[in-house]
């Protein structure tokens, strides 16, 4: 199967719509990370690794409870973000597989300041034709200041430094954003609330679009795009009075050229992920119990809708 055409126009309007709807559905937004944490040195992913006994593997709800306790100890020394390698190694095997099988391409749309927007194709069962995946590169200014060529600085920025991200899909919005907020790698609205049920989908890191997008960060196409942004930011520094936030847009032709390839990039699965087992799926009774507990509580509409969705997907469910 080859990838279809990914239209990259009108992403800003589409993003604004998704974000407005999302915000309307849930107004409270705080994060467990303090502002001082932004400049800290300790990777939340590393804290998570030690919390989950050393080896990178899929995150579970239990890990998160221990993680939160450790985060409180580490406090101010916490760094924001997660490296692409860490993100891929903490994702669920099923999401890695879905990315390989269903999501063929991620193409840059535009980069504004330190935020890169990518468009991916969507899975065969999806209601929409594309997804927008946002990657924040908090070390962008450091890359601009780095004594290296723009290409080298971009390569460093995209592979060695922590990122924060966001996807407009349901998997990210309803499940993974909560984990990302706790872990400090959520870009955009932080999710602080989650039903306290033993939820099998309360695990993982990247959705299938995210797996494809984050894996593609090391591609020449994206490195070139980011290098262009670094070059322009350097040029802007030389000219006083010029707006410092630069925007670099991709053209539809560039996107078409990237998706015209017959084969997608090969996603390399970390060795420890190959044998990883998934937790058993939630039963309809567990989901119904959670819904009963949530009903009538403020701000529960989004979560109820998500659980409804989940319930409908349980094989043999009445709904
Ligand atoms: Zn997604």
């Amino acid at each position: 199967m080859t990838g279809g055409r990914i239209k990259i126009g009108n992403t800003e309007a589409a993003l604004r719509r998704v974000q407005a709807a999302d915000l309307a559905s849930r107004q409270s937004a705080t994060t467990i990370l303090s502002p001082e944490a932004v400049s800290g040195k300790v990777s939340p992913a590393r804290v998570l690794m030690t919390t989950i006994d050393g080896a990178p593997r899929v995150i579970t709800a239990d890990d998160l409870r221990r993680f939160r306790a450790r985060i409180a100890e580490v406090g101010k020394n916490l760094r924001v973000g997660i490296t692409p390698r860490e993100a891929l190694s903490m994702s669920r095997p099923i999401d890695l597989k879905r990315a390989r099988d269903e999501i063929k391409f991620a193409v840059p749309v535009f980069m504004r300041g330190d935020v890169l927007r990518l468009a991916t194709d969507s899975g065969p069962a999806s209601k929409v034709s594309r997804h927008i995946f946002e990657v924040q590169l908090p070390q962008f200014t450091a890359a601009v200041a780095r004594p290296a060529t723009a290409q080298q600085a971009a390569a460093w920025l995209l592979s060695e430094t922590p990122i924060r991200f966001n996807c407009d899909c349901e998997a990210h919005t309803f499940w993974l954003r909560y984990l990302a907020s706790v872990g400090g790698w959520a870009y955009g609205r932080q999710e602080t609330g989650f039903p306290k049920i033993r939820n099998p989908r309360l695990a993982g890191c990247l959705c299938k679009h995210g797996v494809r997008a984050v894996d593609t960060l090391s591609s020449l196409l994206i490195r070139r795009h980011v290098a262009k942004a670094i070059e322009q930011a350097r040029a802007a520094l030389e000219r006083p009075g010029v707006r410092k936030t630069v925007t670099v847009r991709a053209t539809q032709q560039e996107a078409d050229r990237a998706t015209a390839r017959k084969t997608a990039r090969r996603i390399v699965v970390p060795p420890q992920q190959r044998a990883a087992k998934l937790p058993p799926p939630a039963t309809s009774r567990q989901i119904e119990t959670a819904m009963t507990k949530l009903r009538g509580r403020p701000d529960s509409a989004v979560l109820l809708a998500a659980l409804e969705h989940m319930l409908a997907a349980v094989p043999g469910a009445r709904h």
Side-chain angles (χ1 to χ4, degrees):
M1 191 181 117
T2 61
R5 189 163 192 255
I6 302 176
K7 291 220 173 70
I8 66 168
N10 294 321
T11 51
E12 284 174 84
L15 265 177
R16 265 198 302 277
R17 263 198 311 278
V18 170
Q19 283 162 357
D22 178 51
L23 197 64
S25 69
R26 198 165 155 74
Q27 287 289 354
S28 64
T30 51
T31 160
I32 62 149
L33 294 172
S34 61
E36 306 89 76
V38 178
S39 55
K41 287 285 187 295
V42 182
S43 154
R46 203 145 297 147
V47 178
L48 186 56
M49 296 295 182
T50 46
T51 310
I52 63 177
D53 314 315
R57 60 165 167 80
V58 175
I59 311 164
T60 67
D62 281 343
D63 296 332
L64 272 183
R65 270 191 284 277
R66 294 160 63 195
F67 175 56
R68 284 217 218 221
R70 282 280 293 131
I71 288 285
E73 290 167 31
V74 178
K76 287 184 179 152
N77 293 318
L78 201 68
R79 185 192 77 190
V80 149
I82 184 170
T83 66
R85 204 172 301 129
E86 287 166 338
L88 286 165
S89 70
M90 294 200 296
S91 297
R92 301 186 311 164
I94 186 76
D95 291 319
L96 296 169
K97 181 174 167 16
R98 283 180 185 144
R100 271 202 309 270
D101 297 346
E102 300 172 20
I103 312 299
K104 299 297 175 189
F105 300 103
V107 294
V109 177
F110 67 88
M111 178 152 188
R112 177 177 298 144
D114 64 358
V115 180
L116 174 68
R117 282 173 180 101
L118 303 159
T120 75
D121 40 359
S122 56
S126 181
K127 288 171 281 185
V128 296
S129 60
R130 67 165 183 213
H131 283 286
I132 300 169
F133 192 84
E134 299 174 282
V135 180
Q136 187 194 24
L137 298 152
Q139 298 295 314
F140 180 72
T141 353
V144 172
R146 205 173 163 83
T149 66
Q151 286 280 343
Q152 289 164 338
W156 168 79
L157 183 64
L158 289 163
S159 63
E160 306 295 322
T161 71
I163 60 172
R164 302 203 303 159
F165 53 82
N166 186 37
C167 187
D168 67 355
C169 76
E170 293 184 350
H172 184 82
T173 303
F174 294 137
W175 315 109
L176 296 169
R177 184 186 274 157
Y178 172 72
L179 299 170
S181 304
V182 175
W185 53 84
Y187 172 69
R189 182 172 73 71
Q190 307 290 307
E191 181 59 82
T192 54
F194 206 86
K196 289 180 176 50
I197 53 165
R198 210 181 144 68
N199 189 324
R201 295 193 61 180
L202 187 47
C205 183
L206 293 162
C207 60
K208 58 186 177 183
H209 320 104
V211 169
R212 176 55 74 192
V214 168
D215 180 74
T216 310
L217 290 182
S218 59
S219 71
L220 196 58
L221 179 72
I222 294 191
R223 196 186 311 153
R224 280 196 188 127
H225 194 95
V226 173
K228 218 184 273 177
I230 291 172
E231 255 163 36
Q232 291 191 14
R234 285 176 178 173
L237 285 175
E238 304 289 314
R239 287 174 293 153
V242 172
R243 207 152 64 105
K244 296 289 182 273
T245 306
V246 300
T247 304
V248 175
R249 284 171 199 285
T251 64
Q252 184 65 54
Q253 282 112 301
E254 284 168 327
D256 289 348
R257 217 175 301 137
T259 56
R261 292 168 47 201
K262 286 275 177 283
T263 50
R265 274 167 62 88
R266 199 166 69 88
I267 295 172
V268 181
V269 180
Q272 72 279 359
Q273 288 285 76
R274 282 177 209 141
K277 278 204 201 79
L278 289 177
T283 63
S284 39
R285 180 193 290 230
Q286 285 173 320
I287 301 170
E288 275 159 2
T289 308
M291 289 174 79
T292 311
K293 282 187 185 159
L294 268 173
R295 250 179 220 117
R297 293 235 305 252
D299 286 336
S300 61
V302 173
L303 294 171
L304 280 170
L307 288 167
E308 193 78 57
H309 206 264
M310 195 172 163
L311 189 59
V314 174
R318 285 169 289 119
H319 301 256

